[in-house]
Amino acid sequence: MAKEEMTFLEHLEELRWHLVRSFISVLAIAILAFLYKEFLFDVIIFGPSTPEFYTNSKLCLLARELNLPALCINQNKYEFQNIAMAGQFTTHLRVSFIAGIIVAFPYIFWEFWRFIKPALYQEEIKHSRGAIFFASTLFTLGVLFAYYIICPLSVHFLANYQVSSMVKNDLNLGSYISTISSIVLAGGVIFELPILIYFLAKVGIVSARSLRKYRRHAVVASLLLAAIITPPDVISQILVCFPLIFLYEAGIMIAARIERKRKKQEN
């Protein structure tokens, strides 16, 4: 445990400084993102909606090879409209702040780890080595997967979906930004599933047996999610579904390994 016992107020003061440092890191990156708005918006934010985007161009090449036209997505550049007086400025601020959170995530997690580390036993600290690296790596992979796979597929599906040919889609800037940012952040969080399962298994809330029991439910949920956000073809759905199932299976292996170690210690 911690070498010195701290009062509740001292814990709050310690937490406050960790939060302050985390906020400063987010703010610093957000300011940089705000200053480079052309790169932030033209390249990063609007990238998934353009024909030149890496995923869109590669899927079109694959579509021609496999003779599957449905795979060729986002080949017509979309136009976005802003109807609020301060809409573009507030959007600029919001996107810059979101970019700050995403880029600063490893440092934020490190600050969180520094706060809880003194309360852990040496054995717990030993088994938690590499937590920052793995959490940051998984978050980054989740963000990249969401940005390069889910975002272009979702943009194509949602921007072209019509309840009737009499209704025209005029894309709103704020709605597009919310969709992209929520997908990217959700991707980063979802990829933290193995880390979450690790800690839940450590405290005995979940087990490998219970995870295996609900494996079919997890597969069905992954398929439904893939079917909703992708075009109506099997290949696109597999591209989205496979990583989700892989993460769940990785969680089962992590839980099983923890249980084996626990049994050895008990014996």
Side-chain angles (χ1 to χ4, degrees):
M1 297 288 287
K3 292 182 179 180
E4 296 181 1
E5 291 294 333
M6 298 175 64
T7 65
F8 177 72
L9 291 179
E10 287 174 334
H11 278 296
L12 286 181
E13 179 67 13
E14 185 71 16
L15 176 61
R16 184 174 75 89
W17 281 109
H18 286 293
L19 294 175
V20 166
R21 287 190 291 268
S22 297
F23 178 77
I24 290 174
S25 67
V26 172
L27 183 62
I29 296 172
I31 291 174
L32 287 176
F34 187 87
L35 295 175
Y36 292 93
K37 69 175 182 178
E38 289 80 9
F39 176 78
L40 178 63
F41 283 90
D42 296 346
V43 177
I44 302 297
I45 299 298
F46 294 125
S49 67
T50 63
E52 299 81 15
F53 189 65
Y54 180 82
T55 305
N56 297 333
S57 61
K58 293 302 180 183
L59 282 177
C60 279
L61 289 175
L62 185 62
R64 288 193 286 270
E65 291 290 333
L66 301 178
N67 194 25
L68 290 173
L71 281 177
C72 194
I73 61 175
N74 298 320
Q75 292 306 293
N76 297 318
K77 287 192 176 182
Y78 302 106
E79 292 185 357
F80 304 93
Q81 43 177 250
N82 170 62
I83 58 175
M85 178 69 74
Q88 295 199 49
F89 179 70
T90 55
T91 297
H92 190 185
L93 290 175
R94 181 159 56 92
V95 172
S96 298
F97 188 73
I98 293 173
I101 294 175
I102 293 174
V103 177
F105 175 81
Y107 180 78
I108 295 172
F109 190 83
W110 182 64
E111 286 288 351
F112 172 75
W113 172 250
R114 288 179 61 198
F115 176 70
I116 66 172
K117 185 177 178 180
L120 301 177
Y121 292 102
Q122 288 298 321
E123 187 68 18
E124 292 174 328
I125 295 175
K126 178 182 177 181
H127 289 300
S128 300
R129 286 175 182 173
I132 297 173
F133 171 77
F134 287 114
S136 301
T137 301
L138 287 172
F139 183 82
T140 302
L141 289 175
V143 167
L144 293 175
F145 173 75
Y147 180 70
Y148 281 102
I149 303 298
I150 301 181
C151 281
L153 295 174
S154 299
V155 168
H156 177 76
F157 175 76
L158 297 174
N160 293 281
Y161 184 84
Q162 290 180 294
V163 294
S164 170
S165 59
M166 299 176 63
V167 182
K168 178 185 176 183
N169 282 335
D170 289 325
L171 303 183
N172 178 269
L173 175 64
S175 177
Y176 175 84
I177 297 295
S178 296
T179 300
I180 295 297
S181 59
S182 61
I183 289 175
V184 170
L185 286 173
V189 172
I190 289 173
F191 268 58
E192 296 293 326
L193 180 61
I195 301 293
L196 175 63
I197 291 177
Y198 172 82
F199 285 107
L200 292 178
K202 286 289 288 184
V203 298
I205 296 178
V206 300
S207 65
R209 182 179 179 182
S210 64
L211 292 172
R212 292 190 186 100
K213 179 181 178 181
Y214 291 102
R215 177 185 278 133
R216 294 181 180 178
H217 300 78
V219 172
V220 172
S222 299
L223 288 170
L224 288 175
L225 179 61
I228 292 172
I229 65 178
T230 61
D233 64 90
V234 177
I235 294 178
S236 299
Q237 292 176 14
I238 291 175
L239 288 173
V240 173
C241 186
F242 178 76
L244 299 178
I245 297 175
F246 176 79
L247 289 171
Y248 191 83
E249 293 296 329
I252 293 177
M253 290 188 291
I254 290 171
R257 183 179 179 184
I258 291 173
E259 290 169 6
R260 287 195 298 269
K261 286 186 175 181
R262 186 181 294 133
K263 288 180 180 179
K264 287 182 179 180
Q265 291 175 354
E266 291 175 355
N267 295 332

